[in-house]
Each structure stands twice: as structure tokens, then as C-alpha cells.
């Protein structure tokens, strides 16, 4: 516990280590699933944030949710990709951090999620904090405390 208290995990904020919104692949609520799948496949990510038209965070969407929509009994029903929209299948049950939350808050949230969305005080999307970024910071802390 002492180690955690002395570490940067309680000093640094989500804003310090997040990937800022302008570098994050995202989709919008009114996009058809074919666009979302294209973004996911081209970016190589399994899930990305979903924003509304004013760039407020609404949820996330991932490959599994999309593929579940087009799996038929005998074959993939690819035509559905243009008929179903992101807002119909979006996952809204996601953890969210404020920019000023500490990395320790972030650590608790990335245990079950590879990334957590970060918002500003008015809920506009600010970026994402990844599990990778938190683990790298913990590694830095660990070696600094040993030195
Ligand atoms: P990583 O820690 O780099 O493996 O990223 C974990 C997850 O965070 C990825 O699978 C994506 O869902 C998401 N992610 C990371 N970087 C980005 C980005 N630039 N744009 C959108 N999503 C991202």
C-alpha cells in the first residue's frame, strides 16, 4: 500500500496518459454497421468509442457485437450491415473516467476493460486511457522505487 501511495499512480491523472481524442478512431451513432466494421478492421482494434454528432461520448462498439448481428442460421447475412445502425447495437454500459481522475482510478477500471474512455467536465469525449498505458506506468514506478 505504501508503494502505491508513493507512486505516480496517485499523482498523475487520466489526462496525463490518455491518447487524445484526435488520435482515437471512433464511429458515430448514425453510422451504419458496415462503416463501423470497416473502421474496426482497418484500425485493427476490437472496439472503439461511439460519439454523438456533438462529439459527446455515448458508448462503445466492437467486432463481436457487429458479427452477432449478421450471423444467420446457415450463413453470414452481410446485407444487414447497411440496414442496422450503430445506435441500435451500441454498448452503453461502459466505465468512464474524468480527465482529472487519478491513474489509480483508471487501474480499477481497466481490470475488466482494455481501455476506458475519458471525458471532460461537460462529457465531451477527451480520449482513451488504455490498460497498456497504465501497465507501462506501473512498471516505471516499480523500477523507480527499486532504484
Ligand atoms: P492497446 O493497449 O494499444 O492494446 O489498446 C487496447 C484497446 O484500446 C484497443 O483494442 C482499442 O480497442 C483501443 N484503442 C487503443 N488505441 C486506440 C486508438 N488510437 N483508437 C481507437 N481505439 C484505440
Amino acid at each position: 500500500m505504501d508503494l502505491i501511495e508513493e507512486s505516480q499512480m496517485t499523482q498523475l491523472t487520466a489526462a496525463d496518459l490518455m491518447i487524445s481524442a484526435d488520435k482515437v478512431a471512433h464511429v458515430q451513432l448514425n453510422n451504419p454497421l458496415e462503416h463501423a466494421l470497416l473502421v474496426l478492421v482497418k484500425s485493427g482494434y476490437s472496439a472503439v468509442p461511439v460519439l454523438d454528432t456533438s462529439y459527446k461520448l455515448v458508448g462503445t462498439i466492437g467486432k463481436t457485437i457487429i458479427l452477432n448481428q449478421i450471423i444467420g442460421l446457415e450463413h453470414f447475412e452481410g446485407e444487414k450491415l447497411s440496414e442496422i445502425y450503430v445506435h441500435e447495437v451500441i454498448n452503453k454500459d461502459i466505465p468512464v473516467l474524468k480527465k482529472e481522475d487519478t491513474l489509480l482510478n483508471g487501474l480499477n477500471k481497466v481490470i475488466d476493460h482494455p481501455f476506458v474512455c475519458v471525458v471532460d467536465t461537460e462529457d465531451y469525449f477527451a480520449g482513451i486511457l488504455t490498460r497498456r498505458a497504465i501497465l507501462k506506468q506501473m512498471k516505471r514506478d516499480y523500477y523507480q522505487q527499486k532504484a
Side-chain angles (χ1 to χ4, degrees), residues 19 23-25 45-49 114-115 128 130-132:
I19 301 173
K23 297 192 187 97
V24 176
Y45 299 128
S46 50
V48 293
F115 72 97
I128 60 170
T130 63
R131 187 184 283 158
R132 180 200 300 268

Side-chain angles (χ1 to χ4, degrees), residues 91 93-95 108-116 129-131:
N91 175 23
D93 184 19
I94 57 161
N108 289 324
K109 302 202 175 191
V110 298
I111 289 173
D112 293 324
H113 301 269
F115 72 97
V116 181
L129 185 63
T130 63
R131 187 184 283 158

Side-chain angles (χ1 to χ4, degrees), residues 1-120:
M1 194 59 196
D2 281 342
L3 287 183
I4 292 269
E5 274 164 9
E6 285 165 22
S7 82
Q8 297 286 306
M9 298 297 291
T10 52
Q11 315 286 323
L12 292 174
T13 64
D16 292 324
L17 283 197
M18 72 184 183
I19 301 173
S20 63
D22 56 318
K23 297 192 187 97
V24 176
H26 73 273
V27 298
Q28 297 211 321
L29 280 175
N30 56 3
N31 289 146
L33 292 192
E34 65 185 353
H35 175 76
L37 190 57
L38 197 73
V39 169
L40 288 163
V41 171
K42 288 284 176 195
S43 66
Y45 299 128
S46 50
V48 293
V50 177
L51 310 183
D52 69 14
T53 47
S54 63
Y55 289 85
K56 285 198 172 179
L57 176 69
V58 190
T60 61
I61 190 162
K63 287 174 187 156
T64 308
I65 297 179
I66 297 176
L67 293 178
N68 267 326
Q69 293 298 317
I70 62 167
I71 285 179
L73 284 180
E74 288 179 5
H75 55 86
F76 283 105
E77 295 164 359
E79 66 282 359
K80 285 189 175 168
L81 287 172
S82 58
E83 295 162 2
I84 305 174
Y85 288 80
V86 168
H87 66 82
E88 297 175 71
V89 297
I90 180 176
N91 175 23
K92 291 186 179 174
D93 184 19
I94 57 161
V96 177
L97 287 167
K98 295 272 187 204
K99 282 171 78 174
E100 61 275 15
D101 284 336
T102 66
L103 290 188
L104 196 54
N105 293 132
L107 173 62
N108 289 324
K109 302 202 175 191
V110 298
I111 289 173
D112 293 324
H113 301 269
F115 72 97
V116 181
C117 294
V118 184
V119 295
D120 70 12

